Amino acid sequence: MSLIGRTVRVRVPATTANLGPGFDTLGLALSLYDELEVSVRDAPGACVAVHGVGAGEVPTDESNLVVRAIAHTFRALGQDLPGLDLIAHNSIPHGRGLGSSGTAIVSGITAARGLLDGVVDVDDNRLLALATEMEGHPDNVAPALFGGLTIAWTTPEGPKHKKLMVHRGVSPLVLVPEFTLSTELARSLQPESVPHEDAVFNVSRSALLIAALTQSPELVFESTEDRLHQTYRGSAMPQTRDLIAVLRDAGYAAVVSGAGPSILVLCTSPAERAVAADLAVSSGESPWRALPLAVDVKGATVEFVS
């Protein structure tokens, strides 16, 4: 069956992982999106046009991460990769802890699934496994794929996830700085072991955070305390560390978004979120962009154009 002429449009949300205590486990999809159009052509290879974030910076050939994700999916499903034209409209900042690499991977895998519709059936578990193979951890790709609040874990049979709906009283705020931080550097600062009491502390806070986000938003401040990763990574992003301290001293549930350096603030109303945003913008030594966002509940979507 020829795929030439097939076109799909894909929309994938930004994500924030860890959420404080849920290291490498919890993730949240946010209403900030990268959009992609992929068409199959006669000529081999791939040509990528990038608009918005990453324009003039990311590769526009077969080495592009989205193209690599499409190729990975076709290969895993036993299909030959056709020639591709891609148009990407990116809004998610790169290198800021908002899951941009996971979003690119999920964009490619979702596009491949759409292009192969009617040729190969791919269930959600296989999608998560393919995405995790490329990303290395399921905590960002799970919410990008499925939306909402996700708990992700690994098993001998592969990664798994559980999607939960977030209480309508939770109002996320993301604070994005001008500087970037590599995930590899952030992870290199993690100790190989932590004190037993710190592990127990995070287990309790992670359990409490699930309750706070799904049932009891008034518990969100206490439930976002962490002893496993944020303190160790603070030296790599002192401006993030210091602004989180200012926000938490003022009573706001501020945490590092993913590996950083962006900050996630889980507020309990739009009014509280507006005050927190004003405090952050006026307190930071360098400029911070405040993004009041909603929780995305759909995850990655695909539209068949032709």
Side-chain angles (χ1 to χ4, degrees):
M1 179 178 180
S2 175
L3 301 182
I4 294 173
R6 282 199 174 189
T7 299
V8 296
R9 291 194 186 108
V10 173
R11 189 173 189 243
V12 182
T15 61
T16 179
N18 302 328
L19 314 184
F23 183 62
D24 278 0
T25 301
L26 300 181
L28 190 66
L30 299 170
S31 61
L32 180 67
Y33 303 92
D34 282 355
E35 298 182 350
L36 175 72
E37 182 172 292
V38 183
S39 300
V40 178
R41 65 184 189 187
D42 275 316
C47 181
V48 185
V50 180
H51 304 278
V53 177
E57 300 174 0
V58 301
T60 56
D61 57 14
E62 291 91 339
S63 65
N64 181 280
L65 183 55
V66 176
V67 178
R68 285 160 45 203
I70 295 174
H72 177 73
T73 306
F74 267 73
R75 185 167 54 249
L77 299 177
Q79 302 297 312
D80 294 329
L81 182 69
L84 300 170
D85 287 320
L86 295 86
I87 304 173
H89 295 272
N90 298 336
S91 299
I92 301 170
H94 291 176
R96 303 303 206 288
L98 290 172
S100 59
S101 64
T103 297
I105 290 168
V106 169
S107 293
I109 290 172
T110 303
R113 184 193 204 182
L115 292 173
L116 290 170
D117 181 63
V119 179
V120 180
D121 290 329
V122 190
D123 63 19
D124 287 348
N125 288 334
R126 189 68 187 279
L127 284 183
L128 180 60
L130 289 168
T132 304
E133 287 169 8
M134 294 193 69
E135 178 74 350
H137 298 273
D139 55 337
N140 266 314
V141 293
L145 279 167
F146 308 116
L149 168 66
T150 57
I151 307 169
W153 67 98
T154 57
T155 73
E157 294 75 36
K160 296 185 178 181
H161 83 287
K162 174 63 179 177
K163 175 182 176 180
L164 300 172
M165 300 307 292
V166 177
H167 193 284
R168 63 182 180 181
V170 176
S171 297
L173 170 69
V174 174
L175 303 168
V176 183
E178 293 184 334
F179 57 92
T180 63
L181 178 70
S182 76
T183 301
E184 291 75 15
L185 173 59
R187 285 193 173 275
S188 72
L189 300 174
Q190 292 290 128
E192 293 186 2
S193 61
V194 297
H196 180 270
E197 64 179 319
D198 288 352
V200 173
F201 182 93
N202 268 60
V203 168
S204 68
R205 296 310 190 275
S206 295
L208 184 63
L209 181 55
I210 297 298
L213 290 175
T214 60
Q215 297 179 345
S216 307
E218 70 276 6
L219 297 173
V220 75
F221 180 81
E222 188 173 2
S223 68
T224 48
E225 295 176 307
D226 163 70
R227 291 185 183 175
L228 286 189
H229 65 103
Q230 293 185 135
T231 300
Y232 300 109
R233 296 174 170 183
S235 61
M237 41 183 169
Q239 293 159 304
T240 298
R241 176 196 62 203
D242 294 347
L243 183 53
I244 286 176
V246 169
L247 289 164
R248 292 196 71 89
D249 285 346
Y252 298 106
V255 298
V256 178
S257 178
S262 293
I263 295 171
L264 170 70
V265 189
L266 294 169
C267 300
T268 56
S269 70
E272 181 186 78
R273 180 170 61 185
V275 177
D278 288 343
L279 174 60
V281 170
S282 63
S283 298
E285 293 183 3
S286 62
W288 291 80
R289 183 160 58 112
L291 301 177
L293 301 173
V295 175
D296 172 89
V297 298
K298 292 184 178 180
T301 59
V302 60
E303 174 189 356
F304 300 95
V305 179
S306 61

